[in-house]
Amino acid sequence: MSYPVLVTLHLFCAILFIGVVFFEVVLLEGIRRQVGDTLMVQVEQGLIGRARRVMPWVVATLFATGIAMASTHWSALRAAGSSSFGTLLALKIVLAVSVLGHFINAMWAAKDGCMNSRRFELTHLSVAIHMVLIVILAKAMFYWKW
């Protein structure tokens, strides 16, 4: 697959993933007090059910394209400490692996029925912070030089 196609697929999946996370963190958490606990639990359960069907495909494509793109920068990754691009890419990968860990943990918790409202909120907040940092690093890789 060509690099431009990989980048395009990666960006679409990143937009979808980040959009869902920010919807949940910014919009959904903003109405928590207004709708009450009972309705909020129902909304979260509905979102979790839908996310379990859709998001694994999005995340798998996001990571597959990310790995494919990173493989073209293998020399920069191997010498991560000697170039700003390699260092920032390595840091971006570390954050992405952490997001993957959060995602897998959340999917298991939802499947086992132990994804309570507080855990839902904290997981999404952590992932949102990770995603902001990943987006900054994605742009910084091409502009920050040292």
Side-chain angles (χ1 to χ4, degrees):
M1 194 174 299
S2 72
Y3 195 84
V5 171
L6 290 172
V7 170
T8 303
L9 279 172
H10 190 75
L11 285 174
F12 278 133
C13 289
I15 289 166
L16 182 57
F17 186 78
I18 293 168
V20 167
V21 170
F22 275 92
F23 168 79
E24 292 170 351
V25 170
V26 175
L27 298 178
L28 202 56
E29 291 306 322
I31 65 166
R32 182 175 293 280
R33 281 184 238 123
Q34 295 169 339
V35 299
D37 291 338
T38 305
L39 182 56
M40 197 65 185
V41 167
Q42 290 175 331
V43 169
E44 288 171 351
Q45 288 173 346
L47 283 171
I48 289 168
R50 183 70 177 151
R52 280 198 341 229
R53 288 187 299 277
V54 174
M55 294 312 287
W57 296 104
V58 172
V59 171
T61 305
L62 182 62
F63 274 83
T65 55
I67 290 166
M69 289 187 309
S71 71
T72 66
H73 301 290
W74 184 244
S75 59
L77 278 171
R78 283 196 348 227
S82 61
S83 77
S84 56
F85 181 88
T87 302
L88 295 173
L89 179 57
L91 184 55
K92 183 180 170 213
I93 290 169
V94 167
L95 288 170
V97 169
S98 178
V99 168
L100 182 61
H102 280 69
F103 180 78
I104 291 169
N105 189 344
M107 289 292 109
W108 280 109
K111 183 180 178 193
D112 292 342
C114 60
M115 177 58 87
N116 62 32
S117 195
R118 182 69 178 152
R119 187 173 181 178
F120 184 90
E121 180 183 0
L122 291 175
T123 299
H124 286 88
L125 179 61
S126 178
V127 169
I129 292 166
H130 279 70
M131 296 308 299
V132 166
L133 294 172
I134 289 170
V135 168
I136 290 168
L137 289 171
K139 295 311 289 177
M141 288 170 21
F142 297 98
Y143 297 105
W144 292 351
K145 306 285 185 219
W146 62 74

